[in-house]
Amino acid sequence: MNVSTVSQATTGGQGEKPGVRRRLLPVILVLALAWIGVFYLQRQEHGTGLVGQPAPPLAISTFDGEPLALTDLRGQGVVVNFWASWCEPCRVEMPLLAEAAQANRGQIAFVGVNVLDSEPAARAFLAEFGVTYPNGPDTDDRWARRFGADGVPATFFIDSEGVVRSVVLGPVAGAAELERHLARIRPR
C-alpha cells in the first residue's frame, strides 16, 4: 500500500475534503443531545399520558388509619407523591415537598403514597424529614400502577377539578421546578 492509498482510506475517499467529518461531528453530537434532552423532558413531565386527563381514583388508608380519597380533596389543588424509604432520590426531594406542603397549607393538599415498603421504615422516613401531610401505604403497587408510575419518586399535580396538570417522573429538581408545577394547580 502506498502513501496515497493510505490517505484515501483514512479520509473516506478521493472526493471528500479533509476535516469535513471533524466539523460535522460536533453538529451531529449537538443534535443528538438535543433530541435526547427533548425526549427526556417529555418523559419526565408527561410520561404517563395523564396530563390533561382526570386523575385516576385514589383511596388509601393513611398510616394513622384514616381513609383518604382524592374525591375528598376536590375543589383544591393536590400533589400526589409516590415514594419509598429505600429510594435515594426520594430522600433528596422529600425535604422540598415537606417544606412546600407547609408553605401551601390551605391552598394545595399534599398526599404521599408509600410504595412497596415496610410500615416501620416508611414511618421512620416521614419522621426523619418532618413530613406532616397525609401518607399511606401502597403495599401491592396497585395505586402506582393506576397512575402509571413505573418507579419512585413520581409526583402528580392535580387541579381543583381533578385534572392532572403535570407529572414529574423522578425527583423534583428543585424549588423553582416545584413552584412551576404548583402554580399550575394553585387556586386563583
Side-chain angles (χ1 to χ4, degrees):
M1 196 181 251
N2 65 31
V3 173
S4 68
T5 306
V6 171
S7 174
Q8 289 174 2
T10 59
T11 62
Q14 291 179 332
E16 188 175 315
K17 294 182 181 178
V20 169
R21 284 188 184 174
R22 261 190 305 248
R23 288 190 303 257
L24 282 178
L25 186 59
V27 172
I28 292 169
L29 286 174
V30 166
L31 290 174
L33 288 173
W35 182 83
I36 289 169
V38 166
F39 175 78
Y40 175 76
L41 286 175
Q42 286 178 338
R43 171 166 164 62
Q44 183 181 19
E45 292 193 19
H46 307 290
T48 67
L50 286 179
V51 175
Q53 302 297 316
L58 173 68
I60 61 173
S61 179
T62 69
F63 287 121
D64 296 328
E66 297 295 321
L68 176 68
L70 275 183
T71 55
D72 299 337
L73 303 172
R74 189 65 48 95
Q76 60 185 315
V78 180
V79 175
V80 177
N81 176 250
F82 292 89
W83 63 276
S85 66
W86 43 262
C87 162
E88 284 303 315
C90 298
R91 298 185 76 74
V92 172
E93 79 172 3
M94 192 56 73
L96 182 65
L97 294 174
E99 183 179 318
Q102 290 293 328
N104 288 280
R105 186 177 295 208
Q107 293 182 22
I108 298 174
F110 281 67
V111 176
V113 182
N114 178 246
V115 181
L116 300 174
D117 210 342
S118 73
E119 186 171 333
R123 284 181 177 272
F125 181 91
L126 294 170
E128 177 182 347
F129 293 105
V131 176
T132 59
Y133 57 85
N135 276 267
D138 185 8
T139 55
D140 60 2
D141 197 28
R142 172 175 50 141
W143 296 113
R145 283 184 280 126
R146 282 193 181 168
F147 273 75
D150 57 359
V152 290
T155 308
F156 297 78
F157 299 85
I158 304 164
D159 71 13
S160 61
E161 300 298 315
V163 175
V164 176
R165 291 299 169 200
S166 59
V167 176
V168 176
L169 300 176
V172 175
E177 179 187 12
L178 180 57
E179 180 52 38
R180 182 170 51 90
H181 292 289
L182 293 175
R184 293 177 182 166
I185 64 169
R186 187 174 283 119
R188 305 233 182 269

